[in-house]
Amino acid sequence: MTATRPLRSELCDLVAAVRAYVEWQGVLGTTGFPRLGRGGGAVPAVDSAAVERRVASVPVSEPGGESRSDPAPLPPSPPRPAVAEPTGSRAEPGTGTATTPVVFPGAAPVVAAASEARSPSGAGREQSETAARDGEAVRSRLAVLQREVAACTACRLHLGRHHSVFARGMGTSGICFVGEGPGAEEDAQGVPFVGAAGQLLDRMIAGMGLRRDEVYICNIVKCRPPENRRPQPDEMAACRQFLEQQLELIDPEVMVALGATAVQGLFDTTEGITRIRGRWRLYRGRIAVMPTFHPAYVLRTPAARRDVWNDLKEVLRHVGREIPGRSP
Ligand code: SF4
């Protein structure tokens, strides 16, 4: 730069040169320059000779004149300045290199697009799409499993069934109720817990602040034992594979085992329900199980209602839900 040129003209040329350089960097995809650390350090390798040439090539306007020609193209670009990529990451202590990037206005759309791709809304959308796909896959596999159950002849209970009884609800609350086996009403309709005990269970679920379809309800055995007798150990063992697959697919956070037979079917134990109700157990080392009385028992023994409600409140606490003020 020459000292004989008017200061105003020189400043105009410098600004033009800097602007051209910045635009060129934008074309190259640079999104920012690092600031220098307090202790100095690596300076972006600006080609000062090129800037000088660029300045020298710009026609000098007369003093007082406002006009100037458009900036000429910069000479062939030097290698991209040897600066750290403007990732925004903090440099290692002592290197004196990049800390906070300066973002070019022209690069904003690129930055915004990248930011949108990483934004919670973008991630949330992706997660919900994945969840929808997973949900569809689970429903599809459950439907296949239900057809297998309907065709099952693995134990003697298939001989007397009208319908196998697979499950009801989707378990979106993370809560799964496991009962003993279908009764006459369930056998007739092919749906679990639709008789008087089922209606009480529905009231309990409503009392928990949940909709019927927010819980998953299934049984230890899928076919009705004759005369409403308890399923026998070999029948429970034969049917266990279906229950295990259901639980694998539904993946509940917590299960409520309704009655002694449900507890026995899950844990292969002979402990009485009165002794073990209200005490958490762990199914397969990962799913919390709350044993409680069967609704049919509660119908016969109304005093047991309070115990069941206390157990259900524990379940709500476990899944982090609000405890309704009144028992069902
Ligand atoms: S109770 Fe279970 S194992 Fe027995 S026939 Fe029905 S589905 Fe099969």
Side-chain angles (χ1 to χ4, degrees):
M1 287 181 252
T2 64
T4 56
R5 298 170 66 197
L7 182 60
R8 181 188 179 93
S9 168
E10 194 167 309
L11 285 173
C12 284
D13 288 345
L14 274 172
V15 168
V18 170
R19 179 177 179 178
Y21 183 78
V22 166
E23 288 173 348
W24 167 61
Q25 286 294 314
V27 169
L28 292 180
T30 304
T31 57
F33 287 136
R35 297 182 196 278
L36 291 178
R38 283 179 183 275
V43 181
V46 176
D47 188 340
S48 55
V51 174
E52 285 285 351
R53 286 195 300 277
R54 169 74 186 88
V55 169
S57 71
V58 175
V60 179
S61 57
E62 292 301 322
E66 297 292 330
S67 66
R68 54 177 297 282
S69 64
D70 288 333
L74 283 170
S77 60
R80 193 170 174 178
V83 296
E85 286 292 327
T87 58
S89 59
R90 196 163 288 276
E92 288 297 316
T95 60
T97 53
T99 55
T100 310
V102 179
V103 177
F104 296 144
V110 178
V111 174
S115 161
E116 188 181 343
R118 293 189 302 268
S119 71
S121 61
R125 213 165 30 243
E126 206 170 286
Q127 276 180 353
S128 63
E129 285 168 4
T130 304
R133 278 198 300 277
D134 290 351
E136 188 57 42
V138 166
R139 281 192 288 277
S140 164
R141 289 176 65 188
L142 284 169
V144 170
L145 190 60
Q146 185 168 4
R147 285 197 290 275
E148 285 178 30
V149 166
C152 177
T153 57
C155 82
R156 65 185 79 81
L157 294 182
H158 80 280
L159 295 170
R161 75 180 171 214
H162 292 98
H163 296 100
S164 58
V165 176
F166 187 68
R168 85 173 206 215
M170 285 309 300
T172 50
S173 62
I175 301 173
C176 171
F177 287 86
V178 181
E180 176 180 307
E185 285 288 337
E186 291 78 16
D187 177 61
Q189 298 186 37
V191 180
F193 284 92
V194 290
Q199 288 164 19
L200 176 57
L201 180 60
D202 284 347
R203 288 201 295 279
M204 292 175 180
I205 292 166
M208 295 169 79
L210 297 165
R211 295 194 316 270
R212 271 168 56 113
D213 63 341
E214 285 184 294
V215 301
Y216 190 76
I217 304 177
C218 58
N219 283 311
I220 296 291
V221 293
K222 315 302 185 198
C223 304
R224 182 193 178 201
E227 310 303 326
N228 286 346
R229 66 161 170 77
R230 285 189 171 188
Q232 294 177 359
D234 63 323
E235 295 161 351
M236 290 196 280
C239 214
R240 187 169 292 135
Q241 54 149 330
F242 296 125
L243 179 65
E244 286 174 355
Q245 290 180 70
Q246 283 175 298
L247 296 177
E248 190 69 33
L249 289 167
I250 293 294
D251 194 22
E253 191 176 342
V254 59
M255 291 195 282
V256 182
L258 298 168
T261 307
V263 178
Q264 288 164 14
L266 289 170
F267 296 105
D268 209 14
T269 174
T270 55
E271 288 180 280
I273 187 68
T274 306
R275 184 177 153 81
I276 61 176
R277 70 138 279 278
R279 288 155 53 185
W280 287 108
R281 291 179 166 238
L282 213 48
Y283 176 77
R284 304 227 149 176
R286 65 187 187 89
I287 304 175
V289 178
M290 172 57 75
T292 195
F293 294 126
H294 194 282
Y297 175 78
V298 178
L299 285 175
R300 297 193 302 272
T301 318
R305 185 183 292 242
R306 178 187 295 269
D307 290 334
V308 173
W309 179 233
N310 287 335
D311 297 342
L312 296 181
K313 284 196 288 188
E314 283 300 312
V315 169
L316 289 172
R317 279 192 198 96
H318 187 87
V319 296
R321 282 189 172 255
E322 194 179 334
I323 312 285
R326 286 160 53 99
S327 65

